[in-house]
Short mmCIF file of all heavy atoms in Angstrom, two decimals:
data_model
loop_
_atom_site.label_atom_id
_atom_site.label_comp_id
_atom_site.label_asym_id
_atom_site.label_seq_id
_atom_site.Cartn_x
_atom_site.Cartn_y
_atom_site.Cartn_z
N MET A 1 156.83 -3.51 46.22
CA MET A 1 157.92 -3.35 45.25
C MET A 1 157.55 -4.06 43.95
O MET A 1 156.90 -5.08 43.97
CB MET A 1 159.20 -3.95 45.82
CG MET A 1 160.43 -3.27 45.29
SD MET A 1 161.88 -3.76 46.22
CE MET A 1 162.46 -5.13 45.22
N SER A 2 157.97 -3.50 42.85
CA SER A 2 157.62 -4.06 41.56
C SER A 2 158.88 -4.36 40.77
O SER A 2 159.92 -3.76 40.98
CB SER A 2 156.79 -3.05 40.77
OG SER A 2 155.73 -2.59 41.57
N ARG A 3 158.72 -5.28 39.86
CA ARG A 3 159.85 -5.58 38.99
C ARG A 3 159.33 -6.16 37.68
O ARG A 3 158.18 -6.61 37.61
CB ARG A 3 160.83 -6.55 39.65
CG ARG A 3 160.25 -7.94 39.82
CD ARG A 3 161.17 -8.83 40.63
NE ARG A 3 160.52 -10.12 40.84
CZ ARG A 3 160.70 -11.17 40.06
NH1 ARG A 3 161.52 -11.10 39.05
NH2 ARG A 3 160.06 -12.30 40.29
N ILE A 4 160.17 -6.14 36.68
CA ILE A 4 159.80 -6.77 35.42
C ILE A 4 160.80 -7.86 35.08
O ILE A 4 161.94 -7.84 35.55
CB ILE A 4 159.73 -5.76 34.26
CG1 ILE A 4 161.09 -5.11 34.00
CG2 ILE A 4 158.67 -4.70 34.52
CD1 ILE A 4 161.18 -4.40 32.66
N VAL A 5 160.33 -8.80 34.29
CA VAL A 5 161.21 -9.85 33.77
C VAL A 5 161.08 -9.82 32.26
O VAL A 5 159.97 -9.80 31.73
CB VAL A 5 160.81 -11.23 34.33
CG1 VAL A 5 161.62 -12.33 33.66
CG2 VAL A 5 161.00 -11.27 35.84
N ILE A 6 162.21 -9.78 31.58
CA ILE A 6 162.20 -9.79 30.12
C ILE A 6 162.76 -11.12 29.63
O ILE A 6 163.88 -11.50 29.99
CB ILE A 6 163.04 -8.62 29.54
CG1 ILE A 6 162.45 -7.29 30.02
CG2 ILE A 6 163.07 -8.69 28.01
CD1 ILE A 6 163.24 -6.07 29.58
N GLU A 7 161.96 -11.83 28.86
CA GLU A 7 162.40 -13.11 28.27
C GLU A 7 163.27 -12.79 27.05
O GLU A 7 162.76 -12.40 26.00
CB GLU A 7 161.18 -13.94 27.89
CG GLU A 7 161.49 -15.21 27.12
CD GLU A 7 162.62 -16.04 27.74
OE1 GLU A 7 162.50 -16.45 28.90
OE2 GLU A 7 163.63 -16.27 27.05
N LYS A 8 164.56 -12.94 27.22
CA LYS A 8 165.49 -12.46 26.18
C LYS A 8 165.30 -13.15 24.84
O LYS A 8 165.52 -12.55 23.79
CB LYS A 8 166.94 -12.59 26.65
CG LYS A 8 167.44 -14.01 26.79
CD LYS A 8 168.90 -14.03 27.18
CE LYS A 8 169.40 -15.47 27.24
NZ LYS A 8 170.79 -15.57 27.65
N GLU A 9 164.88 -14.41 24.87
CA GLU A 9 164.73 -15.14 23.60
C GLU A 9 163.52 -14.66 22.78
O GLU A 9 163.41 -14.95 21.60
CB GLU A 9 164.65 -16.65 23.85
CG GLU A 9 165.94 -17.25 24.37
CD GLU A 9 167.14 -17.01 23.43
OE1 GLU A 9 166.94 -16.92 22.21
OE2 GLU A 9 168.27 -16.89 23.95
N LEU A 10 162.60 -13.94 23.42
CA LEU A 10 161.45 -13.40 22.70
C LEU A 10 161.70 -11.98 22.19
O LEU A 10 160.93 -11.44 21.42
CB LEU A 10 160.21 -13.39 23.61
CG LEU A 10 159.67 -14.74 24.07
CD1 LEU A 10 158.49 -14.53 25.01
CD2 LEU A 10 159.25 -15.58 22.87
N CYS A 11 162.77 -11.37 22.67
CA CYS A 11 163.02 -9.95 22.38
C CYS A 11 163.76 -9.78 21.06
O CYS A 11 164.72 -10.49 20.79
CB CYS A 11 163.85 -9.36 23.52
SG CYS A 11 164.37 -7.67 23.23
N LYS A 12 163.30 -8.82 20.25
CA LYS A 12 164.04 -8.54 19.02
C LYS A 12 164.67 -7.14 19.04
O LYS A 12 165.06 -6.62 18.00
CB LYS A 12 163.16 -8.73 17.80
CG LYS A 12 161.94 -7.85 17.76
CD LYS A 12 161.05 -8.25 16.59
CE LYS A 12 159.80 -7.38 16.56
NZ LYS A 12 158.65 -8.05 15.97
N GLY A 13 164.75 -6.56 20.20
CA GLY A 13 165.50 -5.32 20.35
C GLY A 13 164.88 -4.10 19.70
O GLY A 13 165.59 -3.17 19.31
N CYS A 14 163.57 -4.07 19.60
CA CYS A 14 162.90 -2.96 18.89
C CYS A 14 162.96 -1.63 19.66
O CYS A 14 162.72 -0.58 19.11
CB CYS A 14 161.45 -3.32 18.60
SG CYS A 14 160.42 -3.39 20.09
N GLU A 15 163.23 -1.72 20.95
CA GLU A 15 163.40 -0.54 21.82
C GLU A 15 162.10 0.16 22.21
O GLU A 15 162.14 1.24 22.79
CB GLU A 15 164.37 0.49 21.22
CG GLU A 15 165.77 -0.06 21.05
CD GLU A 15 166.80 1.00 20.70
OE1 GLU A 15 166.61 2.16 21.09
OE2 GLU A 15 167.80 0.64 20.04
N TYR A 16 160.95 -0.40 21.88
CA TYR A 16 159.70 0.24 22.31
C TYR A 16 159.65 0.38 23.83
O TYR A 16 159.29 1.43 24.35
CB TYR A 16 158.48 -0.57 21.85
CG TYR A 16 158.16 -0.46 20.39
CD1 TYR A 16 157.20 -1.28 19.82
CD2 TYR A 16 158.80 0.46 19.57
CE1 TYR A 16 156.88 -1.20 18.46
CE2 TYR A 16 158.50 0.54 18.22
CZ TYR A 16 157.54 -0.28 17.68
OH TYR A 16 157.24 -0.20 16.35
N CYS A 17 160.02 -0.68 24.52
CA CYS A 17 159.97 -0.63 25.99
C CYS A 17 160.95 0.41 26.53
O CYS A 17 160.64 1.12 27.49
CB CYS A 17 160.25 -2.00 26.57
SG CYS A 17 161.85 -2.69 26.06
N VAL A 18 162.10 0.50 25.89
CA VAL A 18 163.11 1.48 26.32
C VAL A 18 162.54 2.89 26.16
O VAL A 18 162.66 3.74 27.03
CB VAL A 18 164.39 1.33 25.47
CG1 VAL A 18 165.42 2.39 25.84
CG2 VAL A 18 164.97 -0.06 25.62
N THR A 19 161.91 3.12 25.03
CA THR A 19 161.37 4.44 24.72
C THR A 19 160.22 4.83 25.63
O THR A 19 160.12 5.98 26.06
CB THR A 19 160.89 4.47 23.25
OG1 THR A 19 161.98 4.13 22.41
CG2 THR A 19 160.36 5.83 22.87
N TYR A 20 159.36 3.88 25.94
CA TYR A 20 158.11 4.23 26.61
C TYR A 20 158.12 4.07 28.13
O TYR A 20 157.19 4.53 28.79
CB TYR A 20 156.95 3.45 26.00
CG TYR A 20 156.60 3.97 24.63
CD1 TYR A 20 157.01 3.32 23.48
CD2 TYR A 20 155.88 5.17 24.50
CE1 TYR A 20 156.72 3.82 22.23
CE2 TYR A 20 155.59 5.68 23.24
CZ TYR A 20 156.00 5.00 22.11
OH TYR A 20 155.71 5.51 20.88
N CYS A 21 159.10 3.45 28.71
CA CYS A 21 159.12 3.38 30.18
C CYS A 21 159.29 4.79 30.74
O CYS A 21 160.30 5.44 30.48
CB CYS A 21 160.27 2.50 30.68
SG CYS A 21 160.41 2.56 32.50
N PRO A 22 158.32 5.28 31.51
CA PRO A 22 158.41 6.65 32.02
C PRO A 22 159.53 6.84 33.03
O PRO A 22 159.94 7.97 33.30
CB PRO A 22 157.04 6.88 32.68
CG PRO A 22 156.44 5.53 32.87
CD PRO A 22 157.08 4.60 31.90
N LYS A 23 160.05 5.75 33.56
CA LYS A 23 161.13 5.83 34.55
C LYS A 23 162.49 5.49 33.96
O LYS A 23 163.49 5.46 34.69
CB LYS A 23 160.84 4.87 35.72
CG LYS A 23 159.52 5.09 36.42
CD LYS A 23 159.60 6.30 37.32
CE LYS A 23 158.30 6.45 38.12
NZ LYS A 23 158.34 7.62 38.99
N GLN A 24 162.52 5.19 32.69
CA GLN A 24 163.77 4.84 32.00
C GLN A 24 164.53 3.71 32.71
O GLN A 24 165.69 3.84 33.06
CB GLN A 24 164.65 6.08 31.85
CG GLN A 24 163.97 7.09 30.95
CD GLN A 24 164.61 8.46 30.98
OE1 GLN A 24 165.25 8.84 31.95
NE2 GLN A 24 164.44 9.20 29.91
N LEU A 25 163.79 2.62 32.88
CA LEU A 25 164.35 1.49 33.63
C LEU A 25 164.79 0.33 32.74
O LEU A 25 165.13 -0.74 33.24
CB LEU A 25 163.31 0.97 34.63
CG LEU A 25 162.87 1.97 35.70
CD1 LEU A 25 161.80 1.37 36.59
CD2 LEU A 25 164.07 2.40 36.53
N ILE A 26 164.77 0.54 31.43
CA ILE A 26 165.13 -0.55 30.51
C ILE A 26 166.14 -0.02 29.50
O ILE A 26 166.02 1.10 29.02
CB ILE A 26 163.87 -1.07 29.77
CG1 ILE A 26 162.75 -1.41 30.76
CG2 ILE A 26 164.22 -2.32 28.94
CD1 ILE A 26 161.40 -1.71 30.10
N HIS A 27 167.13 -0.85 29.20
CA HIS A 27 168.07 -0.48 28.14
C HIS A 27 168.35 -1.71 27.27
O HIS A 27 168.05 -2.83 27.65
CB HIS A 27 169.36 0.10 28.72
CG HIS A 27 170.19 -0.91 29.47
ND1 HIS A 27 169.97 -1.21 30.79
CD2 HIS A 27 171.22 -1.68 29.06
CE1 HIS A 27 170.85 -2.13 31.18
NE2 HIS A 27 171.61 -2.44 30.16
N ILE A 28 168.92 -1.47 26.11
CA ILE A 28 169.33 -2.57 25.25
C ILE A 28 170.77 -2.93 25.61
O ILE A 28 171.65 -2.07 25.63
CB ILE A 28 169.25 -2.18 23.75
CG1 ILE A 28 167.81 -1.79 23.36
CG2 ILE A 28 169.75 -3.32 22.88
CD1 ILE A 28 166.78 -2.90 23.43
N GLY A 29 170.96 -4.20 25.93
CA GLY A 29 172.28 -4.65 26.35
C GLY A 29 173.22 -4.87 25.18
O GLY A 29 172.87 -4.61 24.01
N THR A 30 174.38 -5.38 25.46
CA THR A 30 175.38 -5.60 24.41
C THR A 30 175.42 -7.05 23.95
O THR A 30 176.00 -7.36 22.91
CB THR A 30 176.79 -5.20 24.92
OG1 THR A 30 177.03 -5.89 26.14
CG2 THR A 30 176.87 -3.70 25.16
N ALA A 31 174.78 -7.95 24.72
CA ALA A 31 174.79 -9.38 24.36
C ALA A 31 173.70 -9.68 23.32
O ALA A 31 172.73 -8.93 23.19
CB ALA A 31 174.57 -10.21 25.61
N PHE A 32 173.88 -10.76 22.60
CA PHE A 32 172.91 -11.19 21.58
C PHE A 32 172.16 -12.43 22.06
O PHE A 32 172.74 -13.29 22.73
CB PHE A 32 173.64 -11.54 20.28
CG PHE A 32 174.33 -10.37 19.63
CD1 PHE A 32 175.65 -10.06 19.96
CD2 PHE A 32 173.65 -9.58 18.71
CE1 PHE A 32 176.28 -8.97 19.37
CE2 PHE A 32 174.29 -8.50 18.11
CZ PHE A 32 175.60 -8.19 18.43
N ASN A 33 170.89 -12.53 21.68
CA ASN A 33 170.16 -13.76 21.97
C ASN A 33 170.38 -14.76 20.82
O ASN A 33 171.13 -14.49 19.88
CB ASN A 33 168.67 -13.48 22.25
CG ASN A 33 167.93 -12.93 21.03
OD1 ASN A 33 168.39 -13.03 19.90
ND2 ASN A 33 166.77 -12.35 21.29
N SER A 34 169.71 -15.89 20.90
CA SER A 34 169.99 -16.95 19.92
C SER A 34 169.50 -16.59 18.52
O SER A 34 169.89 -17.22 17.54
CB SER A 34 169.37 -18.27 20.38
OG SER A 34 167.96 -18.16 20.36
N MET A 35 168.64 -15.57 18.42
CA MET A 35 168.18 -15.12 17.09
C MET A 35 169.07 -14.02 16.53
O MET A 35 168.84 -13.50 15.44
CB MET A 35 166.74 -14.61 17.19
CG MET A 35 165.74 -15.70 17.54
SD MET A 35 164.04 -15.11 17.49
CE MET A 35 164.05 -13.90 18.82
N GLY A 36 170.07 -13.63 17.31
CA GLY A 36 171.02 -12.62 16.83
C GLY A 36 170.61 -11.19 17.11
O GLY A 36 171.17 -10.25 16.54
N PHE A 37 169.65 -11.02 18.04
CA PHE A 37 169.22 -9.67 18.41
C PHE A 37 169.85 -9.26 19.74
O PHE A 37 169.94 -10.06 20.67
CB PHE A 37 167.70 -9.60 18.58
CG PHE A 37 166.93 -9.85 17.31
CD1 PHE A 37 166.06 -10.92 17.22
CD2 PHE A 37 167.05 -9.00 16.23
CE1 PHE A 37 165.33 -11.15 16.06
CE2 PHE A 37 166.33 -9.22 15.06
CZ PHE A 37 165.47 -10.30 14.97
N LYS A 38 170.23 -8.01 19.82
CA LYS A 38 170.58 -7.46 21.13
C LYS A 38 169.28 -7.24 21.88
O LYS A 38 168.35 -6.63 21.34
CB LYS A 38 171.33 -6.13 20.98
CG LYS A 38 172.75 -6.32 20.52
CD LYS A 38 173.48 -4.98 20.45
CE LYS A 38 174.92 -5.20 20.03
NZ LYS A 38 175.61 -3.92 19.82
N TYR A 39 169.19 -7.74 23.09
CA TYR A 39 167.90 -7.75 23.79
C TYR A 39 167.85 -6.75 24.93
O TYR A 39 168.88 -6.27 25.42
CB TYR A 39 167.58 -9.15 24.30
CG TYR A 39 168.67 -9.79 25.12
CD1 TYR A 39 168.72 -9.60 26.50
CD2 TYR A 39 169.64 -10.58 24.52
CE1 TYR A 39 169.72 -10.19 27.25
CE2 TYR A 39 170.64 -11.17 25.26
CZ TYR A 39 170.67 -10.98 26.63
OH TYR A 39 171.67 -11.55 27.36
N ALA A 40 166.61 -6.45 25.32
CA ALA A 40 166.36 -5.46 26.37
C ALA A 40 166.67 -6.05 27.74
O ALA A 40 166.44 -7.22 28.00
CB ALA A 40 164.91 -5.02 26.31
N VAL A 41 167.19 -5.19 28.60
CA VAL A 41 167.57 -5.60 29.95
C VAL A 41 166.98 -4.60 30.95
O VAL A 41 167.11 -3.38 30.77
CB VAL A 41 169.12 -5.58 30.09
CG1 VAL A 41 169.54 -5.99 31.49
CG2 VAL A 41 169.76 -6.48 29.04
N PRO A 42 166.30 -5.09 31.98
CA PRO A 42 165.78 -4.17 33.01
C PRO A 42 166.94 -3.60 33.82
O PRO A 42 167.91 -4.29 34.10
CB PRO A 42 164.91 -5.07 33.89
CG PRO A 42 164.89 -6.41 33.26
CD PRO A 42 166.01 -6.49 32.28
N GLU A 43 166.83 -2.35 34.20
CA GLU A 43 167.87 -1.77 35.04
C GLU A 43 167.49 -1.95 36.50
O GLU A 43 166.32 -1.85 36.86
CB GLU A 43 168.05 -0.29 34.70
CG GLU A 43 168.59 -0.15 33.30
CD GLU A 43 169.11 1.24 33.00
OE1 GLU A 43 169.44 1.97 33.95
OE2 GLU A 43 169.18 1.57 31.82
N ASP A 44 168.47 -2.23 37.28
CA ASP A 44 168.23 -2.57 38.68
C ASP A 44 168.20 -1.30 39.54
O ASP A 44 169.13 -1.03 40.29
CB ASP A 44 169.31 -3.54 39.16
CG ASP A 44 168.94 -4.16 40.48
OD1 ASP A 44 167.77 -4.06 40.88
OD2 ASP A 44 169.84 -4.72 41.14
N LYS A 45 167.14 -0.54 39.36
CA LYS A 45 167.00 0.66 40.18
C LYS A 45 165.93 0.38 41.23
O LYS A 45 164.74 0.45 40.96
CB LYS A 45 166.60 1.86 39.33
CG LYS A 45 167.70 2.33 38.39
CD LYS A 45 167.25 3.58 37.65
CE LYS A 45 168.25 3.99 36.59
NZ LYS A 45 167.72 5.03 35.70
N GLU A 46 166.36 0.05 42.39
CA GLU A 46 165.49 -0.38 43.48
C GLU A 46 164.31 0.58 43.71
O GLU A 46 164.50 1.78 43.89
CB GLU A 46 166.32 -0.48 44.76
CG GLU A 46 165.62 -1.14 45.90
CD GLU A 46 165.85 -2.66 45.91
OE1 GLU A 46 166.54 -3.18 45.03
OE2 GLU A 46 165.31 -3.28 46.81
N GLY A 47 163.11 0.04 43.66
CA GLY A 47 161.94 0.83 44.02
C GLY A 47 161.46 1.81 42.97
O GLY A 47 160.52 2.55 43.21
N GLN A 48 162.07 1.81 41.81
CA GLN A 48 161.68 2.81 40.80
C GLN A 48 160.51 2.36 39.94
O GLN A 48 159.71 3.17 39.49
CB GLN A 48 162.88 3.09 39.88
CG GLN A 48 164.05 3.73 40.58
CD GLN A 48 163.93 5.25 40.61
OE1 GLN A 48 163.85 5.87 39.56
NE2 GLN A 48 163.91 5.82 41.78
N CYS A 49 160.42 1.06 39.69
CA CYS A 49 159.34 0.55 38.83
C CYS A 49 158.00 0.66 39.55
O CYS A 49 157.86 0.26 40.69
CB CYS A 49 159.63 -0.90 38.46
SG CYS A 49 158.32 -1.65 37.47
N THR A 50 157.03 1.24 38.86
CA THR A 50 155.71 1.44 39.45
C THR A 50 154.70 0.38 39.01
O THR A 50 153.52 0.48 39.33
CB THR A 50 155.16 2.82 39.04
OG1 THR A 50 155.07 2.86 37.60
CG2 THR A 50 156.05 3.95 39.52
N ALA A 51 155.17 -0.60 38.26
CA ALA A 51 154.30 -1.65 37.72
C ALA A 51 153.18 -1.07 36.86
O ALA A 51 152.09 -1.63 36.79
CB ALA A 51 153.71 -2.53 38.83
N CYS A 52 153.48 0.01 36.17
CA CYS A 52 152.47 0.66 35.32
C CYS A 52 152.07 -0.24 34.15
O CYS A 52 150.99 -0.11 33.59
CB CYS A 52 152.97 2.00 34.82
SG CYS A 52 154.35 1.88 33.67
N GLY A 53 152.99 -1.12 33.75
CA GLY A 53 152.68 -2.08 32.69
C GLY A 53 152.85 -1.55 31.27
O GLY A 53 152.57 -2.26 30.30
N ILE A 54 153.30 -0.32 31.14
CA ILE A 54 153.44 0.27 29.80
C ILE A 54 154.44 -0.53 28.95
O ILE A 54 154.18 -0.80 27.78
CB ILE A 54 153.88 1.75 29.90
CG1 ILE A 54 152.76 2.58 30.50
CG2 ILE A 54 154.29 2.30 28.53
CD1 ILE A 54 153.14 4.02 30.80
N CYS A 55 155.53 -0.93 29.57
CA CYS A 55 156.54 -1.68 28.81
C CYS A 55 155.94 -2.98 28.24
O CYS A 55 156.14 -3.29 27.07
CB CYS A 55 157.75 -1.98 29.68
SG CYS A 55 157.36 -2.84 31.23
N ALA A 56 155.21 -3.70 29.08
CA ALA A 56 154.61 -4.96 28.65
C ALA A 56 153.56 -4.72 27.57
O ALA A 56 153.44 -5.48 26.61
CB ALA A 56 153.99 -5.68 29.84
N LEU A 57 152.82 -3.63 27.73
CA LEU A 57 151.78 -3.27 26.76
C LEU A 57 152.38 -2.93 25.39
O LEU A 57 151.83 -3.28 24.35
CB LEU A 57 151.02 -2.06 27.30
CG LEU A 57 149.56 -1.91 26.92
CD1 LEU A 57 148.74 -3.05 27.50
CD2 LEU A 57 149.04 -0.57 27.44
N MET A 58 153.52 -2.27 25.41
CA MET A 58 154.14 -1.81 24.17
C MET A 58 154.89 -2.92 23.44
O MET A 58 155.13 -2.82 22.24
CB MET A 58 155.13 -0.67 24.46
CG MET A 58 154.50 0.60 24.98
SD MET A 58 153.14 1.21 23.99
CE MET A 58 153.94 1.49 22.40
N CYS A 59 155.28 -3.95 24.16
CA CYS A 59 156.12 -4.98 23.55
C CYS A 59 155.33 -5.81 22.53
O CYS A 59 154.38 -6.49 22.90
CB CYS A 59 156.71 -5.90 24.61
SG CYS A 59 157.73 -7.20 23.88
N PRO A 60 155.72 -5.78 21.27
CA PRO A 60 154.98 -6.52 20.24
C PRO A 60 155.20 -8.02 20.34
O PRO A 60 154.50 -8.79 19.68
CB PRO A 60 155.54 -5.96 18.93
CG PRO A 60 156.84 -5.36 19.27
CD PRO A 60 156.84 -4.99 20.72
N ASP A 61 156.16 -8.44 21.13
CA ASP A 61 156.48 -9.87 21.22
C ASP A 61 156.15 -10.48 22.58
O ASP A 61 156.56 -11.60 22.86
CB ASP A 61 157.95 -10.07 20.88
CG ASP A 61 158.22 -9.69 19.44
OD1 ASP A 61 157.87 -10.46 18.56
OD2 ASP A 61 158.73 -8.56 19.21
N ALA A 62 155.42 -9.74 23.40
CA ALA A 62 155.00 -10.22 24.73
C ALA A 62 156.18 -10.81 25.51
O ALA A 62 156.07 -11.87 26.11
CB ALA A 62 153.87 -11.25 24.59
N ALA A 63 157.29 -10.11 25.46
CA ALA A 63 158.50 -10.61 26.11
C ALA A 63 158.63 -10.14 27.56
O ALA A 63 159.54 -10.58 28.26
CB ALA A 63 159.73 -10.16 25.32
N ILE A 64 157.72 -9.24 27.99
CA ILE A 64 157.88 -8.64 29.31
C ILE A 64 156.74 -9.04 30.23
O ILE A 64 155.57 -8.97 29.86
CB ILE A 64 157.92 -7.09 29.21
CG1 ILE A 64 159.01 -6.66 28.23
CG2 ILE A 64 158.15 -6.47 30.58
CD1 ILE A 64 159.09 -5.15 28.02
N GLU A 65 157.11 -9.44 31.44
CA GLU A 65 156.10 -9.68 32.48
C GLU A 65 156.37 -8.72 33.62
O GLU A 65 157.53 -8.46 33.98
CB GLU A 65 156.17 -11.12 32.96
CG GLU A 65 155.68 -12.08 31.89
CD GLU A 65 155.53 -13.50 32.40
OE1 GLU A 65 155.91 -13.76 33.55
OE2 GLU A 65 155.05 -14.33 31.63
N VAL A 66 155.29 -8.19 34.19
CA VAL A 66 155.40 -7.22 35.28
C VAL A 66 154.88 -7.87 36.56
O VAL A 66 153.81 -8.46 36.57
CB VAL A 66 154.56 -5.96 34.97
CG1 VAL A 66 154.71 -4.94 36.10
CG2 VAL A 66 154.97 -5.34 33.64
N TYR A 67 155.67 -7.77 37.60
CA TYR A 67 155.29 -8.35 38.87
C TYR A 67 155.18 -7.26 39.93
O TYR A 67 156.05 -6.41 40.05
CB TYR A 67 156.34 -9.36 39.35
CG TYR A 67 156.44 -10.56 38.44
CD1 TYR A 67 157.39 -10.60 37.43
CD2 TYR A 67 155.58 -11.63 38.59
CE1 TYR A 67 157.48 -11.69 36.58
CE2 TYR A 67 155.65 -12.74 37.75
CZ TYR A 67 156.61 -12.75 36.76
OH TYR A 67 156.70 -13.83 35.91
N GLN A 68 154.09 -7.32 40.65
CA GLN A 68 153.93 -6.39 41.77
C GLN A 68 153.80 -7.20 43.04
O GLN A 68 152.90 -8.04 43.17
CB GLN A 68 152.69 -5.52 41.57
CG GLN A 68 152.59 -4.41 42.60
CD GLN A 68 151.60 -3.34 42.19
OE1 GLN A 68 150.64 -3.63 41.49
NE2 GLN A 68 151.84 -2.11 42.60
N THR A 69 154.70 -6.97 43.97
CA THR A 69 154.67 -7.74 45.21
C THR A 69 154.12 -6.87 46.34
O THR A 69 154.15 -5.64 46.25
CB THR A 69 156.08 -8.23 45.57
OG1 THR A 69 156.97 -7.13 45.51
CG2 THR A 69 156.54 -9.29 44.59
N GLU A 70 153.63 -7.52 47.36
CA GLU A 70 153.08 -6.80 48.50
C GLU A 70 154.18 -5.98 49.16
O GLU A 70 155.32 -6.38 49.24
CB GLU A 70 152.51 -7.79 49.52
CG GLU A 70 151.34 -8.60 49.00
CD GLU A 70 150.09 -7.76 48.78
OE1 GLU A 70 149.89 -6.83 49.57
OE2 GLU A 70 149.35 -8.03 47.83
N LYS A 71 153.78 -4.81 49.65
CA LYS A 71 154.77 -3.97 50.34
C LYS A 71 155.07 -4.53 51.73
O LYS A 71 154.26 -5.15 52.31
CB LYS A 71 154.25 -2.56 50.44
CG LYS A 71 154.24 -1.89 49.09
CD LYS A 71 154.29 -0.37 49.24
CE LYS A 71 154.47 0.29 47.89
NZ LYS A 71 153.24 0.24 47.11
S1 LIG B 1 156.18 -1.43 34.52
FE1 LIG B 1 156.26 0.79 33.99
S2 LIG B 1 157.85 1.65 35.34
FE2 LIG B 1 158.09 -0.58 35.39
S3 LIG B 1 159.69 -1.00 33.83
FE3 LIG B 1 157.64 -1.19 32.83
S4 LIG B 1 157.20 0.82 31.94
FE4 LIG B 1 158.88 1.08 33.42
S1 LIG B 2 159.50 -3.93 23.39
FE1 LIG B 2 159.77 -6.18 23.60
S2 LIG B 2 160.82 -6.83 21.73
FE2 LIG B 2 161.03 -4.59 21.88
S3 LIG B 2 163.01 -4.28 22.93
FE3 LIG B 2 161.42 -4.29 24.51
S4 LIG B 2 161.30 -6.44 25.23
FE4 LIG B 2 162.39 -6.42 23.28
#
């Protein structure tokens, strides 16, 4: 199973990760971080993330980490 963690304080809400996740597992939330940006939030869709790493690759602020755990 795979999952991602988004560090909200590093996110500026550019939506690259939202746009490029092939599984549409990320959205921009309604809350603001301390810099005043609405930040990206992973969606809790069990088993959908393939750990492809595209979201982390696209993020200009290195706010996303991808974890792949043993099945
Ligand atoms: S690792 Fe791939 S599937 Fe998982 S959230 Fe990121 S872009 Fe989407
Ligand atoms: S690509 Fe990075 S900075 Fe942009 S919305 Fe996603 S997590 Fe935030």
Side-chain angles (χ1 to χ4, degrees):
M1 209 168 93
S2 309
R3 68 187 176 94
I4 62 165
V5 173
I6 300 177
E7 173 48 58
K8 68 177 183 182
E9 293 303 329
L10 295 177
C11 174
K12 60 187 179 209
C14 70
E15 297 190 29
Y16 285 171
C17 57
V18 177
T19 302
Y20 287 101
C21 173
K23 303 284 185 180
Q24 296 168 334
L25 298 177
I26 308 171
H27 68 275
I28 300 295
T30 53
F32 295 90
N33 66 17
S34 67
M35 295 185 295
F37 295 118
K38 286 183 178 174
Y39 52 89
V41 180
E43 294 194 22
D44 192 15
K45 291 184 186 169
E46 190 90 359
Q48 295 273 302
C49 177
T50 60
C52 68
I54 292 173
C55 55
L57 210 64
M58 294 308 299
C59 179
D61 295 284
I64 305 178
E65 290 189 354
V66 181
Y67 295 95
Q68 188 164 30
T69 50
E70 296 291 326
K71 289 204 172 74

